[in-house]
Amino acid sequence: MSDAPDSTVEAGDAFELPLDDEAFFEALDLQRKIEAMLFASAEPIGTQELCERLGAKRKNVHAALDVLVDHYAKRGVVLRKVADRWAFRTADDLKHVLHREAVEQKRLSRAALETLAIIAFHQPVTRAEIEEIRGVSTSKGTLDVLMETEWVRMRGRRRTPGRPVTYGTTVEFLDHFALESIKDLPGLEELKGSGLLDSAVPANFQVPVPDDTSDLTEDEDPLDEDDLFTADDQGGEVSPQQDNGSL
């Protein structure tokens, strides 16, 4: 009797069934390679990069990732997808165990949190548009802090007088808040249910559908070369009220 493993892979393995012995070992080898790459990487790795570096078909990489996701689902580390990039992260229910090892992060001010929320839901958005929504002037320092965290980026320039810079969120933003995509941000009912939004909102009130696509919109121009070295946005009017809590 042959000692070779059963060539039929369980349904969770997602490879085409049944597999012969050679295909079984190739699939297992691909899983191990992907697992090693993700463990060794300091940053999430995209599906396309995995395909290119391993010389593997996309469907096989996806299948291997599905197996790894299931394998680590109940372990101390889990495999997470962040905007089509993959990374191992500490399981949510164990984060408190590592609190002594974590570097204490500086808390964002209320102004920065409000600005971040507006950018996430309204992107691409300019500084003047942020000020209009908040009803107060937004300090340049607030945007600088958000860009230093790498949660916000400059996207382009609006095709309006003054050509103000437009802002959007980043993959690091998704990673930090454990979002697979920007569309996983809470909607109207979730915000009301969590108490973050008054239940008695106007009937015509709507929460924008967020979109963080990297493609520029019709009213955006690419950033100038000088924009890569400065985040100063001079476009737009300033509200007469002042934002006193930028940092």
Side-chain angles (χ1 to χ4, degrees):
M1 181 179 295
S2 173
D3 293 332
D6 185 352
S7 60
T8 300
V9 181
E10 295 183 2
D13 289 358
F15 287 96
E16 294 181 4
L17 305 177
L19 294 173
D20 56 32
D21 291 345
E22 181 179 357
F24 173 85
F25 285 113
E26 287 179 356
L28 184 61
D29 185 56
L30 181 60
Q31 293 171 31
R32 295 178 66 242
K33 288 177 179 177
I34 292 175
E35 183 180 34
M37 288 177 62
L38 294 175
F39 262 122
S41 178
E43 302 292 338
I45 302 179
T47 306
Q48 185 60 34
E49 183 179 350
L50 289 171
C51 293
E52 293 173 355
R53 292 176 62 179
L54 296 173
K57 295 181 179 179
R58 192 176 185 89
K59 68 175 183 178
N60 290 341
V61 169
H62 274 300
L65 288 166
D66 286 342
V67 174
L68 291 172
V69 168
D70 289 341
H71 177 71
Y72 283 96
K74 297 185 181 300
R75 300 181 69 87
V77 292
V78 294
L79 182 57
R80 284 224 176 99
K81 183 181 180 183
V82 180
D84 202 35
R85 298 183 185 184
W86 297 86
F88 282 107
R89 293 288 182 263
T90 303
D92 290 338
D93 61 329
L94 296 179
K95 288 183 177 179
H96 68 282
V97 178
L98 305 179
H99 74 281
R100 292 183 181 274
E101 306 297 330
V103 176
E104 183 178 356
Q105 300 292 331
K106 181 179 179 181
R107 293 178 62 87
L108 292 179
S109 67
R110 177 175 177 177
L113 290 173
E114 290 176 355
T115 300
L116 179 62
I118 291 170
I119 293 173
F121 279 99
H122 292 267
Q123 59 186 306
V125 62
T126 66
R127 178 173 163 185
E129 291 164 347
I130 294 170
E131 291 172 345
E132 181 179 358
I133 295 171
R134 291 189 64 221
V136 295
S137 173
T138 299
S139 166
K140 177 180 175 294
T142 300
L143 290 168
D144 286 344
V145 167
L146 293 176
M147 285 194 289
E148 286 174 6
T149 64
E150 298 184 345
W151 294 348
V152 168
R153 66 185 178 92
M154 295 188 297
R155 288 175 44 93
R157 284 192 175 272
R158 186 81 78 205
R159 293 178 182 174
T160 57
R163 300 182 67 244
V165 169
T166 56
Y167 296 91
T169 55
T170 65
V171 172
E172 287 75 17
F173 169 82
L174 297 178
D175 189 19
H176 181 84
F177 291 99
L179 301 171
E180 181 174 330
S181 77
I182 198 69
K183 291 180 173 55
D184 290 330
L185 284 171
L188 178 60
E189 295 304 320
E190 291 173 291
L191 290 172
K192 290 198 300 186
S194 63
L196 296 175
L197 197 64
D198 191 338
S199 58
V201 296
N204 62 346
F205 180 84
Q206 292 183 335
V207 174
V209 178
D211 183 3
D212 62 352
T213 177
S214 58
D215 297 331
L216 296 177
T217 59
E218 293 182 356
D219 63 348
E220 285 181 293
D221 286 324
L223 291 169
D224 300 328
E225 185 175 348
D226 292 343
D227 293 328
L228 301 177
F229 303 99
T230 176
D232 192 10
D233 179 4
Q234 298 298 332
E237 296 181 357
V238 177
S239 169
Q241 289 181 280
Q242 294 299 313
D243 175 3
N244 295 320
S246 63
L247 297 177

